[in-house]
């Protein structure tokens, strides 16, 4: 689905899981201070075994602290699937990776978002996309597609610049 802002998708996830304890990784982009703006008292976790049945997880992959996909990410998804813990995955940093692969075929993966503002200079357009399981699509999700101009500009930019354009262009300058 088109998405106007990761923040909106995050708020929806938090509302759906308001009876759960929010857990974020210790190197997480969604830090505790940001979440307090939504009256959420998140707690850090450092490894998948820290997650309990009454939790929900918010994580960016690659994680913000290292810009790497954690070695334990599949273990986290397996554990959360087994415990019935929903997971919100933000892939906003994927555009800045040389190689990026993430298996999202786990029952626990509730929402996956990716802003296009990290790839293209379009912050003001507030565009990106989110993936949700069909059973989680709500009737108001169609509202995300109201930014027709921004969506068309992004489509045109994506046709002209491949997803790895920034890496190719600036890798040699690092």
């Amino acid at each position: 689905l088109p998405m106007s802002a990761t923040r909106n998708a995050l708020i929806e996830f938090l509302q759906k899981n308001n009876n759960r304890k929010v857990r974020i990784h210790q190197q997480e982009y969604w830090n505790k201070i940001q979440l307090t703006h939504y009256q959420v008292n998140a707690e850090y976790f450092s490894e998948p075994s820290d997650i309990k049945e009454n939790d929900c997880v918010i994580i960016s992959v690659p994680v913000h602290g290292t810009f790497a996909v954690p070695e334990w990410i599949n273990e986290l998804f397996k554990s959360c699937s087994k415990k019935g813990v929903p997971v919100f995955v933000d892939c906003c940093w994927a555009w800045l990776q040389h190689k990026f692969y993430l298996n999202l075929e786990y029952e626990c993966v509730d929402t996956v978002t990716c802003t296009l503002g990290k790839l293209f200079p379009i912050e003001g357009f507030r565009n990106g996309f989110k993936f949700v399981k069909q059973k989680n699509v709500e009737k108001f999700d169609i509202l995300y597609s109201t930014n027709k101009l921004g969506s068309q500009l992004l489509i045109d930019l994506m046709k002209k610049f491949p997803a790895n354009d920034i890496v190719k262009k600036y890798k040699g300058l690092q």
Side-chain angles (χ1 to χ4, degrees):
L1 298 168
M3 177 184 71
S4 57
T6 303
R7 177 187 65 238
N8 295 0
L10 176 67
I11 290 169
E12 290 169 8
F13 178 80
L14 292 170
Q15 288 174 340
K16 285 192 300 187
N17 295 288
N18 64 2
N19 60 336
R20 295 177 176 269
K21 182 187 301 181
V22 176
R23 303 297 299 269
I24 56 177
H25 190 260
Q26 60 190 6
Q27 296 178 332
E28 191 50 66
Y29 174 73
W30 296 104
N31 64 43
K32 291 172 99 169
I33 295 170
Q34 287 176 304
L35 289 169
T36 58
H37 295 296
Y38 308 119
Q39 285 84 39
V40 173
N41 185 21
E43 293 185 14
Y44 290 119
F45 75 93
S46 59
E47 54 189 53
S49 62
D50 296 339
I51 304 300
K52 307 294 183 241
E53 286 82 7
N54 65 332
D55 294 342
C56 65
V57 174
I58 299 171
I59 189 165
S60 58
V61 180
V63 292
H64 184 260
T66 62
F67 292 107
V69 176
E71 293 178 10
W72 45 259
I73 194 68
N74 289 323
E75 182 184 339
L76 175 70
F77 291 157
K78 287 177 188 174
S79 175
C80 288
S81 292
K82 184 177 178 181
K83 295 174 183 177
V85 172
V87 179
F88 180 99
V89 181
D90 183 12
C91 295
C92 65
W93 305 111
W95 305 112
L96 306 176
Q97 301 302 303
H98 300 283
K99 293 181 183 178
F100 181 76
Y101 175 78
L102 184 62
N103 180 4
L104 297 168
E105 295 186 38
Y106 290 92
E107 184 60 32
C108 68
V109 177
D110 178 271
T111 305
V112 179
T113 61
C114 190
T115 179
L116 296 172
K118 305 275 189 296
L119 177 62
F120 300 114
I122 55 154
E123 179 60 28
F125 285 107
R126 312 293 303 162
N127 263 341
F129 52 87
K130 75 173 182 175
F131 297 103
V132 294
K133 290 182 170 48
Q134 186 67 35
K135 65 181 182 179
N136 294 338
V137 175
E138 302 288 340
K139 63 182 178 182
F140 57 83
D141 284 323
I142 194 66
L143 296 175
Y144 284 130
S145 62
T146 59
N147 185 356
K148 303 289 187 204
L149 173 63
S151 295
Q152 188 58 53
L153 284 171
L154 283 172
I155 290 167
D156 292 345
L157 284 168
M158 287 188 285
K159 286 179 181 176
K160 185 173 181 175
F161 301 100
N164 63 351
D165 186 64
I166 290 177
V167 172
K168 283 184 172 181
K169 186 173 183 177
Y170 295 108
K171 183 179 179 183
L173 300 174
Q174 292 180 338

